[in-house]
Amino acid sequence: MSDLKRINSALISVFDKGNLEPIIEKLKELNVKIYSTGGTKQFIEKLGVDVIAVEDVTDYPSILGGRVKTLHPKVFGGILARRDNKSDKEQLKEYQIPEIDLVIVDLYPFEDTVASGAEEQDIIEKIDIGGISLIRAAAKNFKDTVIIPSKDQYQDIIDLLNKKNGETSIEDRKRLALEAFNVSSHYDTAIFNYFNNDINKPAFKQSSVAGNELRYGENPHQKGTFFGNLEEVFDQLHGKQISYNNLLDIEAAVQLIAEFEDTTFAIMKHNNACGVASREKLVDAWNDALAGDPVSAFGGILITNREVDMATAIEIDKIFFEVIIAPSYANDALGVLKKKKNRIILVQKMFEFPKAQYRSMLHGTLVQDRDLKTETEADLKTATKKQATKQEIDDLLFANKIVKHSKSNTIVLAKNKQLCASGVGQTSRVDALKQAITKAAGFRFDLNGAVMASDAFFPFSDSVQIANEAGIASVIQPGGSVRDQESIDYCDQHNMAMVFTGTRHFKH
């Protein structure tokens, strides 16, 4: 026996009436009986289509300022009735409840209202009650009822009506029920998170209605999906689809560049900076950032906090890179950068990132506050007899911003607001320092007068000793080791300056 069911009746109650007209016209063509209420009913009547008021079915008016319209047994009975259940059919007849085969809903825009900065009372009024109940009821009874849970599915019902002439299969109805519970669960999550903003109940609820399937995950044999709306953060002007690994590097790049107010260029590779420089001219910032590690820059992610001009674009165009991010681009510069068809060119928008971070872990999820602490000169406590010079303080703060966004254990060496080298992701701080010194020497940096930043305290004095022997003049670190005095004493004995920030910046 065919599982196709014909739509003979429909209940329509929507907030967004855009693109609703073709649905109404098709339902009229198919002689579908339409029930509606409020503004949706008025919209249908203006189209010249017959519509039955829900109030005429329930014998109850819309009450409480529209808060109660469809919440009635004669509505929900018609949606939830099992068509193959004799008792249900008898009760429909006894209580004169009409069967409802199709429910079309679009909920009040709760999230948009919150995002608009509206007053609490306006936000509360945008918590949909009747609509969400209609969605759940129709989705539960998907064996007999078709549910269209939001404007995003309007085209689905148009296609179904046209393709199957008013009939639907069990597969159609079950797929739309899935969409319905996706919509309803997301809606409830948004409401919970609004109420939990101030209370901060330790419950993990995050939701995204749709995901963007990526070419693959971290490796080609892994599936990857991005949940979120990149268009809120970037405009993509050119290039191929952004990959999973691109996204990881882009996130790291965006968070790093946000630390700088001076004209700055940064080059990222595997979530770490391999080149950073701040200069008056952007082209100089680029050239000096590239000098930090021209080898690792190959295939990297480039980011700046200034408009990319023609002179800078010409220099950038000389190397292969995956992605460039900037607040804007001069037209002639854009022409240069677009020469390579796969280059991803992004314009970063003004966007406030969430203050929480999430990571799947074992059989659960880790949640923490994002590291929003950025040290200023006022946060620095001189631990040594020698005071850092003004230039050294500028470099120390510069280096500390980079070390904050590098994988632990990490050491950053900098001079004249240029990253000379870093040692990242090492199991010991000494190894990180040795890696940085070796790398700096490989690119012929003179470390005499340079500064060193560490993401965490030095457990022993060996790191400052190695740094001194390499020419490092000044050190910035959190402090807090029981052996801090050993490092302080060594610095005092060798005319080095060292400042404590009191804040650790581990990043794993």
Side-chain angles (χ1 to χ4, degrees), residues 118-131:
E119 295 294 326
E120 182 173 82
Q121 186 55 43
D122 294 328
I123 292 171
I124 298 305
E125 288 306 316
K126 286 298 186 289
I127 298 177
D128 207 310
I129 303 301

Side-chain angles (χ1 to χ4, degrees), residues 492-504:
D492 284 341
Q493 292 164 13
H494 294 83
N495 199 33
M496 295 175 70
M498 183 162 64
V499 297
F500 289 171
T501 65
T503 302
R504 188 181 72 186

Side-chain angles (χ1 to χ4, degrees), residues 385-386 468 472-474 489-497:
K385 295 176 181 177
K386 183 181 179 182
N468 174 62
I472 300 300
S474 190
D489 289 344
Y490 183 90
C491 288
D492 284 341
Q493 292 164 13
H494 294 83
N495 199 33
M496 295 175 70

Side-chain angles (χ1 to χ4, degrees), residues 47-98:
L47 296 176
V49 176
D50 291 338
V51 56
I52 300 170
V54 168
E55 293 85 349
D56 292 341
V57 176
T58 64
D59 291 327
Y60 256 92
S62 172
I63 62 173
L64 306 181
R67 281 189 163 197
V68 180
K69 291 180 282 192
T70 57
L71 294 168
H72 195 281
K74 283 198 171 184
V75 174
F76 283 85
I79 295 170
L80 286 163
R82 293 158 291 188
R83 309 304 197 259
D84 59 357
N85 185 292
K86 182 180 178 181
S87 175
D88 285 6
K89 296 283 284 185
E90 289 174 350
Q91 286 187 322
L92 290 182
K93 184 176 180 181
E94 178 184 357
Y95 296 108
Q96 298 180 319
I97 299 173

Side-chain angles (χ1 to χ4, degrees), residues 14 20 111 174 253 316 322 337 343 432 435 457 460 476 505:
V14 301
L20 185 62
E111 287 181 282
K174 193 168 186 178
I316 291 170
E322 289 267 348
L337 296 173
R343 276 180 182 164
Q435 181 189 59
F457 63 64
F460 305 101
I476 185 170
H505 289 296

